[in-house]
Amino acid sequence: MSSSTKSATLRYTGLRLAIFAGCFAVVAVLAYVGVIPESFGTANPLWLLLLSMLVSAPLSFVLLRGQRDAMSQEVAPRVDRAMSKLRSNQGMEDDADDAARSA
């Protein structure tokens, strides 16, 4: 993996985690203040995590569009090469199977 691919992937992942952490902090403060329910039974940490994921997912989708596109442009050629290798290997396997059946 090239350094630019690692860089784009790490940047996107880091920003995604930062958005989640920010949402978690906001949700925790809102729960502490009493704006939203603090928990359901004894599920306080799980409730806050799920609510944070629910809020951060659409935010990440909208706010990180550029980083996601940059990452996919750098990763796409590697995926295409892997897929073409897989297709050629499957073709070789099919040829070998046909040769074995005809013999």
Side-chain angles (χ1 to χ4, degrees), residues 44-93:
N44 185 21
L46 183 61
W47 162 248
L48 295 178
L49 283 172
L50 290 174
L51 194 55
S52 299
M53 286 192 304
L54 184 69
V55 171
S56 70
L59 286 175
S60 296
F61 183 74
V62 172
L63 296 175
L64 299 180
R65 179 173 290 142
Q67 285 80 13
R68 188 174 52 252
D69 291 343
M71 183 179 68
S72 68
Q73 286 176 354
E74 292 176 354
V75 172
R78 293 181 59 85
V79 171
D80 291 339
R81 280 196 305 272
M83 292 300 290
S84 66
K85 254 187 193 179
L86 180 63
R87 281 189 215 104
S88 69
N89 287 344
Q90 287 174 340
M92 289 173 28
E93 185 178 307

Side-chain angles (χ1 to χ4, degrees), residues 7-67:
S7 172
T9 303
L10 289 175
R11 185 175 343 132
Y12 175 75
T13 303
L15 289 171
R16 184 93 193 253
L17 287 172
I19 288 174
F20 173 75
C23 288
F24 184 78
V26 169
V27 166
V29 167
L30 289 175
Y32 179 75
V33 172
V35 175
I36 58 174
E38 196 165 336
S39 68
F40 288 117
T42 60
N44 185 21
L46 183 61
W47 162 248
L48 295 178
L49 283 172
L50 290 174
L51 194 55
S52 299
M53 286 192 304
L54 184 69
V55 171
S56 70
L59 286 175
S60 296
F61 183 74
V62 172
L63 296 175
L64 299 180
R65 179 173 290 142
Q67 285 80 13

